[in-house]
C-alpha cells in the first residue's frame, strides 16, 4: 500500500480504536511520518517508544518517559492505558514479537486491557508478528515509495537547489529518475539524489550513473551475477537484430512508456537468440546492455537448481526478485537450455521452473529486459518457444561475406590498430569462408600475439598463414550447423539481413 492508502486505513483503525495495529515496513521513519500527520489531524496524542530516546510525543518530541528497556516500557504503557482514555502508543524497537515469548505474551495482556479502555498499541516492524497477538488487531503494509511518490520526493529534494546549481533535468528526466530508483527506501533515495546534487549539478548523464547506483547499494544479489560491460563493445553484422534493438530503445523514454501504458501495451519483455556457436549470441547480450546503458545481470539456470524439494523454485524466485529490485536492467540468461535440460535429473522441477519463469516474464511490471541465448535447440522446451513468450526470436547464422568483412575490420582496428585496403579485406573474407565470428577474432588475436611477442612487422603472409591454418566449426562439424540452421529458418527470424554464402 502506498503512503496515502496507508494513511487512510490507519485513520480508520485509530478512529475505530482497534487495540492492536502492526505496520509492516522497512521504513520506520515513513511510518512515523504517517502517524505524526494523523496525530495532528485527529487531535489524538500519540506517544512513541524507541530504544535510544525512551517515550516521546510524536508531534512535539517532548519526553514523556525515559524508560528505554522494552519490558520497562510495557509496564509504563500498561499503567497509562488503564488510567487514560484513548491512550495511543507506538513501539518501534520491539523484538521477540515473532513467536510466543515473554515480550509477546506481555504485550498480548496489555492489548487485552487496551481493548477495554479504548487504547491502541501500534507496532512498526518488518518481521512477522506472533499469530495470537496479530489476531487481536489489524495489519497494515506500508510499501516502499511508488513511482509517483518518488517523483514528488526527488523534485522536493532538488527544489531548494534550483537556480543555485545547473539542473539539466526536465520533467521527463525526473520521471525517469523515479522509475530508476523504484525499490529503494525514501532515505536511500534522498541520499542518492543529495549526493548527486552535492557534486554541483544535475546533468542528463547523471541518469546513467543512477541506473548503476542501485546495484552498488545492494550487496546480496542472490542468484545473479553482475557483469561489467565495456561501454565501447561492438559487434559486426547482425543488422536485423541491431535495427530491432534501436527501434525498441525508443520505447524506453518516459513519455513513450506513458503512452504505452495508456494504450495498455506492455513494454518489450525480451528476446531469445539462438544459433551457431561463436557467432555473437553472448556478445549481443553484452552489446545490448552497453547500447541501452543499463546494468547487465547474468542468471544461470543451472546454479539456481537446488538439491532439495522446492529449493529450485525458491532460488529462481529470489533471483527474479533481485532482478526486479535492480531494474531497470538487462537480465541475461546464457545458454538457457543447459539449465532447463533437467540438470537435476528431475523433469518435474525443470517444467515447474519453466512455468515459473514464463509466468514471471509475462507478469513482471518492472523494467527488466530479458536476453536469453540458446545453443542446443533440441533441448529447448516447446513452451519457451511458443509465440508471444519472448518478443522476438532471432537466429544467428555464420557471418556472411559482408559481415565477415565487418568483423575483420573491427578486430584489425582493435587488436592491430591497422586499416587495410579493400582488396586485402576481400582476400581475408575469402580465406575466412565458413568461419564463425569467434574464429575470426581468434585468428586476428593470434596475429596480435605474434606481433607483440616477437616485435615482428605485419605482412600479408602472416594473415594468409594464420587464416588458412584455422579449422572452423563448420568444417569440423557441418551436420551440427546444418541442423541448427534448418531449425532457425523454420522457427526464428534471421538476425542478419545478408544471406550466408556457405
Ligand atoms: N558478430 C560478431 N562481431 C564481433 N565479434 C564477434 C561476433 N561474433 C563473435 N565474435 C567474437 O567471438 C567471440 C565469441 O562470441 P560469443 O561468445 O558471442 O558467441 P556465442 O554465439 O555466444 O557462442 P556460444 O554458442 O559458443 O556461446 C566474441 O567474444 C567475439 O570476440
Ligand atoms: Mg555464448
Amino acid at each position: 500500500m502506498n503512503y496515502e492508502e496507508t494513511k487512510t486505513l490507519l485513520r480508520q483503525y485509530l478512529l475505530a480504536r482497534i487495540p492492536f495495529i502492526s505496520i509492516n515496513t522497512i521504513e520506520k521513519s515513513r511510518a512515523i511520518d504517517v502517524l505524526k500527520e494523523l496525530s495532528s489531524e485527529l487531535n489524538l496524542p500519540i506517544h512513541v517508544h524507541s530504544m535510544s530516546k525512551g517515550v516521546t510525543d510524536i508531534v512535539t518530541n517532548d519526553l514523556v518517559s525515559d524508560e528505554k528497556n522494552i519490558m520497562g516500557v510495557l509496564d509504563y504503557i500498561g499503567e497509562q492505558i488503564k488510567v487514560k482514555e484513548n491512550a495511543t502508543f507506538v513501539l518501534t524497537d520491539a523484538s521477540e514479537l515473532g513467536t510466543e515469548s515473554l515480550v509477546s505474551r506481555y504485550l498480548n495482556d496489555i492489548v487485552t486491557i487496551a481493548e477495554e479502555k479504548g487504547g491502541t498499541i501500534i507496532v512498526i516492524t518488518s518481521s512477522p508478528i506472533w499469530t495470537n497477538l496479530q489476531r487481536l488487531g489489524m495489519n497494515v503494509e506500508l510499501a516502499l515509495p511508488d513511482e509517483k511518490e518518488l517523483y514528488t520526493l526527488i523534485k522536493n529534494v532538488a527544489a531548494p537547489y534550483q537556480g543555485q546549481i545547473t539542473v539539466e533535468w526536465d520533467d521527463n528526466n525526473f520521471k525517469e529518475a523515479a522509475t530508476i530508483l523504484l525499490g529503494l527506501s525514501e532515505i536511500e533515495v534522498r541520499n542518492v539524489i543529495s549526493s548527486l546534487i552535492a557534486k554541483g549539478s544535475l546533468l542528463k548523464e547523471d541518469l546513467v550513473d543512477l541506473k548503476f547506483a542501485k546495484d552498488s547499494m545492494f550487496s546480496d544479489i542472490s542468484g545473479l551475477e553482475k557483469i561489467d560491460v565495456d561501454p565501447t563493445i561492438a559487434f559486426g553484422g547482425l543488422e536485423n537484430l541491431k535495427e530491432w534493438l534501436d527501434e525498441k530503445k525508443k520505447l524506453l523514454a518516459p513519455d513513450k512508456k506513458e503512452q504505452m501504458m495508456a494504450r495498455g501495451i506492455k513494454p518489450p519483455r525480451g528476446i531469445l537468440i539462438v544459433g551457431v556457436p561463436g557467432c555473437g549470441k553472448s556478445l549481443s547480450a553484452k552489446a545490448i546492455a552497453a547500447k541501452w546503458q543499463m546494468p547487465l545481470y547474468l542468471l544461470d539456470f543451472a546454479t539456481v537448481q537446488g538439491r532439495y524439494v522446492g529449493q529450485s523454485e525458491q532460488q529462481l524466485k529470489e533471483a527474479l526478485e533481485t532482478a526486479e529490485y535492480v531494474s531497470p536492467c538487462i537480465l541475461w540468461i546464457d545458454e538457457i537450455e543447459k539449465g532447463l535440460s533437467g540438470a537435476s535429473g528431475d523433469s518435474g522441477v525443470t517444467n515447474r521452473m519453466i512455468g515459473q519463469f514464463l509466468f514471471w516474464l509475462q507478469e513482471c511490471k518492472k523494467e527488466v529486459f530479458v536476453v536469453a541465448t540458446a545453443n542446443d535447440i533440441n533441448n529447448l522446451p516447446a513452451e519457451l518457444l511458443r509465440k508471444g513468450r519472448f518478443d522476438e526470436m532471432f537466429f544467428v547464422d555464420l557471418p556472411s561475406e559482408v559481415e565477415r568483412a565487418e568483423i575483420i575490420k573491427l578486430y584489425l582496428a582493435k587488436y592491430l590498430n591497422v586499416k587495410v585496403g579493400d582488396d586485402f579485406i576481400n582476400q581475408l573474407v575469402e580465406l575466412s569462408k565458413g568461419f564463425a565470428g569467434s574464429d575470426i577474432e581468434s585468428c586476428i588475436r593470434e596475429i596480435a600475439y605474434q606481433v607483440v611477442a616477437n616485435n615482428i612487422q605485419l605482412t600479408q603472409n602472416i594473415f594468409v598463414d594464420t587464416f588458412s591454418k584455422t579449422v572452423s566449426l563448420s568444417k569440423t562439424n557441418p551436420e551440427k550447423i546444418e541442423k541448427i540452421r534448418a531449425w532457425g529458418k523454420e522457427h526464428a527470424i534471421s538476425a542478419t539481413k545478408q544471406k550466408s554464402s556457405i
Side-chain angles (χ1 to χ4, degrees):
M1 231 177 285
N2 72 21
Y3 192 92
E4 284 308 319
E5 289 162 348
T6 304
K7 191 170 163 187
T8 309
L9 209 56
L10 282 174
R11 185 187 294 113
Q12 281 174 24
Y13 291 167
L14 283 172
L15 288 173
R17 303 312 296 159
I18 304 285
F20 179 72
I21 304 168
S22 57
I23 307 179
N24 189 269
T25 179
I26 54 165
E27 297 181 287
K28 249 186 230 177
S29 56
R30 236 158 82 86
I32 296 275
D33 284 346
V34 181
L35 291 169
K36 200 189 265 180
E37 287 174 20
L38 286 173
S39 173
S40 306
E41 186 192 307
L42 301 175
N43 205 7
L44 172 80
I46 297 182
H47 294 160
V48 188
H49 168 258
S50 72
M51 287 292 194
S52 54
K53 289 193 230 147
V55 185
T56 53
D57 184 283
I58 201 166
V59 178
T60 62
N61 278 330
D62 292 342
L63 193 69
V64 292
S65 160
D66 61 2
E67 185 61 65
K68 297 190 172 86
N69 175 287
I70 186 73
M71 288 309 266
V73 96
L74 288 183
D75 283 340
Y76 171 78
I77 293 175
E79 284 159 22
Q80 293 291 313
I81 276 195
K82 275 185 211 151
V83 295
K84 272 195 200 142
E85 285 288 297
N86 293 345
T88 308
F89 289 95
V90 184
L91 299 173
T92 63
D93 281 327
S95 52
E96 295 177 49
L97 291 183
T99 50
E100 180 168 9
S101 69
L102 221 57
V103 180
S104 60
R105 261 188 287 136
Y106 194 11
L107 186 56
N108 211 71
D109 292 345
I110 294 174
V111 170
T112 318
I113 303 169
E115 194 171 10
E116 290 161 21
K117 299 283 179 183
T120 296
I121 320 279
I122 302 168
V123 171
I124 302 175
T125 178
S126 58
S127 326
I129 303 257
W130 179 41
T131 335
N132 285 29
L133 183 56
Q134 190 63 69
R135 283 200 182 136
L136 299 178
M138 303 299 266
N139 176 52
V140 183
E141 206 158 315
L142 174 60
L144 289 165
D146 59 21
E147 252 168 302
K148 252 190 169 156
E149 290 175 73
L150 284 181
Y151 167 76
T152 317
L153 173 67
I154 299 169
K155 282 214 118 166
N156 286 344
V157 177
Y161 300 94
Q162 293 276 1
Q164 290 180 36
I165 61 166
T166 316
V167 178
E168 281 182 4
W169 289 9
D170 57 23
D171 209 46
N172 261 339
N173 297 136
F174 275 101
K175 281 184 192 157
E176 205 178 325
T179 316
I180 295 172
L181 295 176
L182 210 59
L184 294 189
S185 70
E186 190 178 319
I187 294 174
E188 285 169 329
V189 171
R190 276 182 195 282
N191 290 344
V192 170
I193 299 296
S194 302
S195 58
L196 278 188
I197 291 173
K199 69 171 178 40
S201 55
L202 273 185
L203 306 179
K204 301 253 185 207
E205 65 204 44
D206 291 336
L207 285 164
V208 177
D209 292 344
L210 222 51
K211 288 183 195 156
F212 293 84
K214 244 199 288 195
D215 60 57
S216 63
M217 299 175 71
F218 197 38
S219 53
D220 175 31
I221 44 172
S222 60
L224 294 187
E225 186 189 342
K226 170 83 201 297
I227 307 289
D228 286 322
V229 177
D230 172 5
T232 63
I233 194 168
F235 61 105
L238 311 183
E239 287 306 323
N240 267 346
L241 174 61
K242 279 181 186 157
E243 265 177 29
W244 190 91
L245 291 170
D246 285 342
E247 190 59 26
K248 295 300 176 284
K249 186 178 184 220
K250 295 181 196 160
L251 299 175
L252 298 175
D255 54 332
K256 303 283 179 196
K257 274 192 275 180
E258 273 174 20
Q259 284 178 34
M260 280 193 296
M261 239 196 309
R263 289 162 195 253
I265 309 174
K266 282 191 198 157
R269 311 275 345 118
I271 52 174
L272 176 64
I273 310 177
V274 294
V276 181
C279 290
K281 297 186 296 291
S282 302
L283 186 67
S284 304
K286 293 183 199 156
I288 296 168
K291 218 178 170 125
W292 288 6
Q293 298 183 304
M294 283 192 191
L296 178 67
Y297 290 91
L298 181 66
L299 166 61
D300 188 343
F301 265 43
T303 60
V304 295
Q305 299 221 352
R307 273 187 295 159
Y308 304 104
V309 176
Q311 209 179 24
S312 306
E313 289 90 333
Q314 183 56 29
Q315 291 191 11
L316 181 59
K317 178 170 172 270
E318 279 172 22
L320 295 173
E321 276 173 1
T322 309
E324 291 191 11
Y325 178 86
V326 290
S327 67
C329 69
I330 308 285
L331 182 65
W332 176 23
I333 308 175
D334 205 26
E335 307 192 358
I336 192 167
E337 77 278 13
K338 282 212 174 126
L340 291 181
S341 55
S344 61
D346 176 356
S347 63
V349 173
T350 306
N351 286 337
R352 285 203 299 276
M353 282 175 76
I354 301 166
Q356 189 185 350
F357 172 70
L358 290 175
F359 181 76
W360 172 85
L361 192 66
Q362 280 183 357
E363 295 303 311
C364 170
K365 301 267 184 309
K366 300 284 167 62
E367 234 181 272
V368 181
F369 187 80
V370 177
V371 180
T373 72
N375 209 328
D376 188 354
I377 52 299
N378 292 316
N379 278 332
L380 279 185
E383 305 93 294
L384 210 63
L385 303 174
R386 214 171 290 143
K387 261 261 167 269
R389 301 302 204 187
F390 288 96
D391 294 307
E392 202 56 86
M393 242 193 288
F394 285 100
F395 171 63
V396 176
D397 203 348
L398 286 172
S400 65
E401 289 180 1
V402 179
E403 289 180 309
R404 290 206 301 279
E406 262 189 50
I407 301 171
I408 291 169
K409 283 186 204 156
L410 200 127
Y411 288 107
L412 285 181
K414 191 170 171 191
Y415 294 160
L416 294 167
N417 201 14
V418 290
K419 247 187 149 169
V420 299
D422 282 348
D423 280 352
F424 189 54
I425 293 282
N426 287 340
Q427 202 181 329
L428 294 180
V429 167
E430 195 51 40
L431 283 171
S432 58
K433 199 166 178 176
F435 280 25
S438 59
D439 296 325
I440 298 175
E441 187 268 347
S442 68
C443 264
I444 299 178
R445 181 157 35 90
E446 179 52 39
I447 296 168
Y449 285 153
Q450 293 177 30
V451 170
V452 176
N454 307 316
N455 282 325
I456 50 165
Q457 285 291 312
L458 274 180
T459 61
Q460 295 206 353
N461 274 344
I462 299 178
F463 283 97
V464 176
D465 270 1
T466 318
F467 271 67
S468 319
K469 269 196 310 216
T470 302
V471 184
S472 62
L473 179 74
S474 59
K475 283 200 196 111
T476 53
N477 200 344
E479 302 83 26
K480 180 173 175 183
I481 300 220
E482 256 334 297
K483 234 170 127 184
I484 300 178
R485 271 193 176 162
W487 187 92
K489 278 201 193 102
E490 195 182 328
H491 294 87
I493 70 164
S494 175
T496 175
K497 288 199 164 152
Q498 322 276 331
K499 236 193 118 40
S500 191
S501 58
I502 58 129

